[in-house]
């Protein structure tokens, strides 16, 4: 939920304190998390070097949130897969894919909340609640699959070719293109299984 105004500047000092230049006061990571939830954009600069350290500060906020009991948002399997992408040939694709997926989830969250409110209005898990959750999950997985295909137009062709090679017993081995095709095929199969899961 970015705004058109300039982002607020936060300065991080050597003593690890964060200074909000807009309010001329020191803030905590929890305060910055509140700004994010409120839709306010900010950038964080190292006060001494002037280096933009916004990414590491946002990552620290996520780390702190994940450390809280009952606040886990990122599944372990997702975190492991994310780590595997570092240094992988697909690394350049991942940020755009995640950004696209999160943008779509954000756009759909109002509709999803309304649907869940209607579903759970009667009694918990009654009146088709599980059907609604499954339908939304399938819709989200379809969106993720489509997004992946949009950012990697070769995925469908690579997956089809890899499936043909596997069926013929002659899967390509040893070359980077063959490995990439197998990875794309496996990812597509996993997405398809997740979208069909009940």
């Amino acid at each position: 939920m970015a705004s058109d105004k300039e982002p607020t500047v936060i300065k991080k000092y050597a003593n690890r304190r964060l200074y909000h230049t807009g309010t001329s006061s020191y803030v905590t990571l929890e305060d910055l998390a509140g700004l994010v939830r409120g839709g306010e954009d900010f950038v964080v600069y190292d006060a001494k070097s002037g280096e933009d350290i916004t990414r590491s500060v946002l990552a620290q906020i996520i780390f702190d949130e994940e450390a809280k009991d009952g606040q886990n948002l990122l599944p372990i399997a997702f975190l492991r897969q994310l780590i595997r992408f570092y240094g992988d040939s697909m690394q350049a694709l991942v940020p755009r894919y995640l950004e696209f997926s999160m943008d779509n989830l954000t756009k759909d969250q109002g509709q999803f909340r309304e649907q869940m409110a209607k579903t759970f209005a009667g009694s918990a898990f009654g009146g088709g609640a599980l059907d609604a959750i499954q339908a939304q999950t399938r819709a989200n997985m379809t969106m993720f699959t489509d997004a992946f295909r949009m950012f990697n137009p070769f995925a469908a062709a690579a997956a089809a070719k890899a499936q043909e090679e596997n069926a013929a017993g002659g899967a390509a081995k040893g070359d980077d293109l063959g490995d990439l095709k197998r990875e794309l095929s496996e990812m597509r199969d996993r997405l398809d299984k997740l979208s069909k899961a009940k």
Side-chain angles (χ1 to χ4, degrees), residues 36-192:
V36 172
R37 289 185 191 103
E40 184 174 339
D41 286 339
F42 60 82
V43 290
V44 183
Y45 295 108
D46 182 281
K48 185 175 182 180
S49 69
E51 177 187 359
D52 185 340
I53 57 171
T54 307
R55 182 183 311 273
S56 64
V57 170
L58 291 173
Q60 183 62 47
I61 291 170
I62 291 170
F63 178 79
D64 289 352
E65 291 293 325
E66 286 290 312
K68 294 178 183 176
D69 287 337
Q71 292 285 64
N72 305 108
L73 187 64
L74 302 173
I76 290 174
F78 171 80
L79 292 171
R80 285 186 175 134
Q81 187 61 49
L82 199 58
I83 290 168
R84 287 184 191 115
F85 277 121
Y86 284 99
D88 187 88
S89 58
M90 299 287 288
Q91 181 174 341
L93 170 70
V94 174
R96 289 178 293 173
Y97 173 75
L98 292 176
E99 188 172 14
F100 175 83
S101 299
M102 288 304 291
D103 284 346
N104 278 306
L105 182 61
T106 302
K107 289 174 189 170
D108 293 340
Q109 75 178 348
Q111 179 184 355
F112 182 68
R113 285 181 182 175
E114 183 180 316
Q115 183 180 6
M116 293 304 288
K118 288 178 184 175
T119 301
F120 291 112
S123 60
F125 296 105
L130 292 177
D131 291 339
I133 291 171
Q134 290 172 353
Q136 188 65 44
T137 301
R138 281 191 290 273
N140 287 343
M141 288 312 301
T142 300
M143 178 198 64
F144 290 148
T145 303
D146 291 344
F148 180 75
R149 287 184 184 132
M150 183 179 87
F151 283 116
N152 189 353
F154 304 106
K161 184 166 179 157
Q163 287 174 348
E164 288 172 15
E165 290 172 350
N166 287 337
K173 293 182 181 175
D175 66 342
D176 290 340
L177 186 57
D179 291 343
L180 181 58
K181 289 176 182 178
R182 278 191 297 283
E183 286 179 31
L184 290 171
S185 178
E186 289 170 9
M187 186 177 288
R188 183 174 179 218
D189 290 344
R190 279 184 262 158
L191 286 171
D192 287 343

Side-chain angles (χ1 to χ4, degrees), residues 7-13 18-27 32 35 40 42-45 47:
T8 300
V9 173
I10 307 292
K11 292 184 179 180
K12 186 173 185 180
Y13 289 93
L18 298 161
Y19 184 76
H20 188 301
T21 61
T23 61
S24 300
S25 61
Y26 288 99
V27 292
L32 295 183
L35 293 178
E40 184 174 339
F42 60 82
V43 290
V44 183
Y45 295 108

